[in-house]
Amino acid sequence: MTPPLSRRSLLRSALLATAAPSVAYAGSGPAASAVLPTPPSWAVRPFALSEVALGEGVFAAKRALMLDHARGYDVDRLLQVFRANAGLSTRGAVAPGGWEGLDGEANGNLRGHYTGHFLTMLAQAYAGTGDRAHAEKIGSMVTALTEVREALRHEPRVLGVAGRFGTAAEHVRGSHQYVDLPAGVLGGAYAITLSAWVRPAHDATWGRVFDFGDDTTRYLYLTARNADGVPRFAVTTAGPGGEQGLDGTAALPLDEWSHLAVTIADGTGTLYVDGTAVARNPAMTLTPAALGTLRNNWLGRSNFSSDPVFAGAFDEFNIWSRALGADEIAALRGSRAADTSAGRGDLAAYAFDETAGSTFADDSGRGLDATLRRTWGGPSHPGFLAAYPETQFILLESMTSGDYTKVWAPYYTAHKILRGLLDAHLHTGDERALDLASGMCDWMYSRLSRLPRATLQRMWGIFSSGEFGGIVEAVCDLHALTGKAEHLALARLFDLDRLIDACAAGDDVLDGLHANQHIPIFTGLLRLYDATGERRYLDAATNFWDMVVPGRTYAIGGTSTGEFWKAHGVIAGTLGATTAETCCAYNMLKLSRMLFFHTRDAKYMDHYERALYNQVLGSKQDEGDAERPLVTYFIGLEPGHVRDYTPKQGTTCCEGTGMESATKYQDSVYFTEADGSALYVNLYSPTTLTWAEKGVTVTQTTGYPRERGSTLVVGGGRAAFEMRLRVPVWAGDGFRVTVNGRAVDGTPVPGSYFGVSRTWRPGDTVRVVVPFRLRVEKALDDPSLQALFHGPVNLVARNTATGLLPFGLYRDAALSGDLLPTLTPVTGRPLHYTLDGTEFAPFSEGTEDPTHVYFRRVEPSVVFGGTDSGVANPAGEDGTSLLDEIWAAAPFGTKGALVRRVRERVDAWVSAGLLSAGDGRKVVDTARNASYARGA
């Protein structure tokens, strides 16, 4: 027999076995790479992910599917948009697309957010599994982001690639880079030839090969693709309406070199493509001389600000002060200009042979060296890190209404990146990640601290564009690590006073608000309360939660319809295809968890169980995929809804939070009292807790929710503490606890915790029996619209019908009030039943079956024990029926108790004139003669 581990040896073995450190709070367990101090305001604190190992079960199975994605996805694809923004090589990677690509919704103006989610997923996966592959991916991503920030700090650098003849200069799409030529480059010529080799990388229209002009009135340009997709040259002194132009006849091929040339002389202009004249205009009266000296002389950038920057590569660009002949231009196709009879351009000649620096040498002899620049200049602070220019943040400061096609939640995106970096640091100890995170907050403080408070209030009140997610929580966590006063001051700059003050006062102002824009605000307010002690922050968060649960919460634990909230108490009136946004469930879980840390109120963990076991589990498809996380955006609650696990165009916010959820299922199974005197068992889930502070382990073995209970075995050394076992609010009679086979005295109260205090010894075994009953939950605004639950599990009907299904449930109700006998179990499939030919199954199963979360409760006649009395089931003005009133008194200890209840209510209904005396006798006789199951 192996002797029990001492507390010291247990701690040492835990540290050795736990390959992955995790987010920890001071005193909560094994030393992590970085520790967030436990706020004094927390009555309860969590354990680190690495201290709670998932055992075999539904959570481990769902996580394994997500880990397929974590291991298989090429993170260079995520980094593509960051590297492009910094003008770095994207290594041939293809951007993820959807919200993370330049061509996705709103032109990808949220790009970068998904990288933050992915970092958090990897960090949590590493903490929970110890798989070094996840840590290695984190390390490579942090390395890349460090290089990106360094590149953004400085002037752009030439990105040399293989060219037509030697080296060429690449302008990565999304880099916003162009070449700035000196004034006078056109030399006031009356005759001219402009020649360039280009390799377009994208089919965007109006991206300029070159544009020389003062504004949008006086200019000449060559675009690779006009509105018809073909090259166009134009010159004008009177804006677009006065253009004298030349249009090509065919589109330039993408990712291939093409030679373009334009000549103007003696009133005739000619456009050449690959040495062949494709357009001629004999009526071109304008020449560079007519334009005078122009201010903006650009390669790759347009004088029209709405036009895209040219994406692709440039090789030789030459300007001659004469019109080359057709033979000379044809010769340029096969050789460098210097090796042809034309020679280098005498006005300007750029070979683009540079492989470093930010300038291009002019070989014309005129000394007109060019400079590589960004259209937006550079960041206002060296800590800036993003996958798009700082202009997104700058534009927000002057916006008065939202327009996500122009500015789409830049501080929300910053939050995701910041959170991912913090998690990377906390879970792996990478100091570079902390430096990047700290730099981002230094940069944000430098921008926001100079703005008037009125401007900030306006910004944060703008729908979508002003959304900032959980940035306050992340900044407060960073402040806990850095101690920098500026970081705490930054967190407070996001205060949206009218929302905070209303919620602190208990005024429900949520109707019409965007749900996920506002839920994470309140986790931030709790962290501000922790840091400042300001009571209004705590009051606002507490009252806000009560405005959402249950008044705006669906049976599965989700909230919102079409991303917005409706009036309090409206559930039936909001069912549709776009209910229950997955991000909202994720953020409500975070808020519930954090409120519990402050209050110990079991209602928060009751909600946590509901949302976790239903919406969160059910939002992940039961398949693995290296390319896609397979997570829902909305979960439609309309009848017959089929879940979409590849929503919108991909890489959505909900797929991001879905990745995170699937790698932290164990984060709230156990908590500890802040002083270590008690262990909270919040969820019945197969797990092993290593509580190094106490020198013990707690191994929980259960098939819950298929199993109606759980077994917990204490290991390690001896330790005194109270084990507090959550009694679910729905549990009712029958919750029992034994220790080493002996019943524990006490009366469990649903919606609270049942405590067991003792000095625990190795091998002590706690058995918890949790009574399950089939029950219904009624929509607040329509009691006949109901959802079916077995214990914590929402059972959904699988049926292709698109209308509400009618079901009656009293026909075989047990004396306990359990409705389960009315359903027929499906052999070999736990928690699967049939009723009237329709299958019911757990919502948590991530299938593509059409489902009905809500159904229409129809009890047309009075039936007991499967026997129909032949009497119509009467109902009062409020819709409550006779059967409702009878069964509301369940459980019944004996059949006689049920019959007495039936007689009592029948007499009352007869007296009220709602039931005839004869029908009343039939009802009583049927109840007396029927047989009943006892039920759970």
Side-chain angles (χ1 to χ4, degrees), residues 396-398 445-460 492-495 497:
L396 175 61
E397 293 169 8
S398 60
Y445 181 73
S446 74
R447 281 216 70 83
L448 297 177
S449 62
R450 63 179 177 79
L451 298 177
R453 188 160 189 83
T455 299
L456 293 172
Q457 294 298 308
R458 172 175 48 77
M459 286 165 58
W460 309 143
R492 303 189 74 164
L493 291 175
F494 289 93
D495 279 5
D497 289 334

Side-chain angles (χ1 to χ4, degrees), residues 353-511:
D353 287 332
E354 290 80 3
T355 58
S358 58
T359 60
F360 300 103
D362 172 29
D363 295 327
S364 71
R366 299 178 67 206
L368 300 178
D369 292 352
T371 305
L372 184 64
R373 303 192 189 281
R374 300 187 188 98
T375 60
W376 57 282
S380 61
H381 185 282
F384 176 72
L385 177 63
Y388 43 60
E390 195 174 0
T391 50
Q392 282 279 296
F393 300 88
I394 296 169
L395 287 171
L396 175 61
E397 293 169 8
S398 60
M399 293 180 73
T400 57
S401 60
D403 183 349
Y404 84 143
T405 65
K406 295 178 180 177
V407 176
W408 191 3
Y411 285 97
Y412 173 95
T413 306
H415 161 242
K416 298 307 174 188
I417 300 168
L418 175 64
R419 183 77 259 172
L421 290 168
L422 276 174
D423 290 336
H425 169 66
L426 290 166
H427 292 301
T428 71
D430 194 325
E431 291 295 327
R432 299 172 305 163
L434 179 61
D435 181 62
L436 289 170
S438 184
M440 286 186 69
C441 289
D442 293 341
W443 157 72
M444 282 187 276
Y445 181 73
S446 74
R447 281 216 70 83
L448 297 177
S449 62
R450 63 179 177 79
L451 298 177
R453 188 160 189 83
T455 299
L456 293 172
Q457 294 298 308
R458 172 175 48 77
M459 286 165 58
W460 309 143
I462 297 174
F463 163 62
S464 189
S465 298
E467 183 175 356
F468 55 78
I471 200 167
V472 175
E473 176 193 359
V475 173
C476 287
D477 284 353
L478 177 71
H479 171 255
L481 294 172
T482 67
K484 292 181 67 171
E486 294 85 356
H487 292 163
L488 181 57
L490 170 63
R492 303 189 74 164
L493 291 175
F494 289 93
D495 279 5
L496 181 56
D497 289 334
R498 70 173 183 269
L499 177 69
I500 298 171
D501 293 341
C503 290
D507 297 332
D508 189 332
V509 294
L510 303 189
D511 188 5

Side-chain angles (χ1 to χ4, degrees), residues 180-484:
D180 189 14
L181 308 183
V185 68
L186 295 178
Y190 288 91
I192 198 165
T193 299
L194 303 102
S195 163
W197 279 98
V198 294
R199 188 181 66 194
H202 192 259
D203 61 0
T205 57
W206 299 114
R208 301 295 201 259
V209 175
F210 58 76
D211 194 336
F212 304 106
D214 277 341
D215 44 36
T216 57
T217 302
R218 303 171 64 83
Y219 55 79
L220 86 169
Y221 70 78
L222 175 64
T223 181
R225 288 174 181 253
N226 65 4
D228 296 322
V230 298
R232 173 176 171 79
F233 171 83
V235 57
T236 182
T237 57
E243 288 186 357
Q244 298 176 7
L246 296 161
D247 292 305
T249 57
L252 298 184
L254 296 181
D255 300 315
E256 295 181 19
W257 286 105
S258 296
H259 184 262
L260 299 174
V262 176
T263 65
I264 301 176
D266 302 323
T268 297
T270 306
L271 172 64
Y272 295 85
V273 176
D274 289 329
T276 300
V278 297
R280 191 177 305 276
N281 183 348
M284 295 188 71
T285 60
L286 295 175
T287 67
L291 300 179
T293 302
L294 300 172
R295 180 175 62 251
N296 303 325
N297 302 282
W298 296 328
L299 302 184
R301 181 179 181 181
S302 171
N303 276 286
F304 289 81
S305 60
S306 61
D307 289 340
V309 178
F310 177 83
F314 286 92
D315 208 336
E316 284 203 335
F317 179 73
N318 286 274
I319 308 176
W320 291 268
S321 59
R322 64 185 180 89
L324 298 186
D327 291 343
E328 290 178 297
I329 290 177
L332 295 175
R333 288 201 64 209
S335 304
R336 289 181 178 270
D339 299 327
T340 70
S341 60
R344 295 186 180 95
D346 61 321
L347 293 180
Y350 305 99
F352 297 111
D353 287 332
E354 290 80 3
T355 58
S358 58
T359 60
F360 300 103
D362 172 29
D363 295 327
S364 71
R366 299 178 67 206
L368 300 178
D369 292 352
T371 305
L372 184 64
R373 303 192 189 281
R374 300 187 188 98
T375 60
W376 57 282
S380 61
H381 185 282
F384 176 72
L385 177 63
Y388 43 60
E390 195 174 0
T391 50
Q392 282 279 296
F393 300 88
I394 296 169
L395 287 171
L396 175 61
E397 293 169 8
S398 60
M399 293 180 73
T400 57
S401 60
D403 183 349
Y404 84 143
T405 65
K406 295 178 180 177
V407 176
W408 191 3
Y411 285 97
Y412 173 95
T413 306
H415 161 242
K416 298 307 174 188
I417 300 168
L418 175 64
R419 183 77 259 172
L421 290 168
L422 276 174
D423 290 336
H425 169 66
L426 290 166
H427 292 301
T428 71
D430 194 325
E431 291 295 327
R432 299 172 305 163
L434 179 61
D435 181 62
L436 289 170
S438 184
M440 286 186 69
C441 289
D442 293 341
W443 157 72
M444 282 187 276
Y445 181 73
S446 74
R447 281 216 70 83
L448 297 177
S449 62
R450 63 179 177 79
L451 298 177
R453 188 160 189 83
T455 299
L456 293 172
Q457 294 298 308
R458 172 175 48 77
M459 286 165 58
W460 309 143
I462 297 174
F463 163 62
S464 189
S465 298
E467 183 175 356
F468 55 78
I471 200 167
V472 175
E473 176 193 359
V475 173
C476 287
D477 284 353
L478 177 71
H479 171 255
L481 294 172
T482 67
K484 292 181 67 171

Side-chain angles (χ1 to χ4, degrees), residues 33-64:
S33 297
V35 177
L36 290 172
T38 301
S41 54
W42 286 11
V44 174
R45 66 173 187 258
F47 289 95
L49 290 176
S50 60
E51 296 174 295
V52 184
L54 280 180
E56 183 177 351
V58 62
F59 291 112
K62 290 271 190 178
R63 182 180 69 179

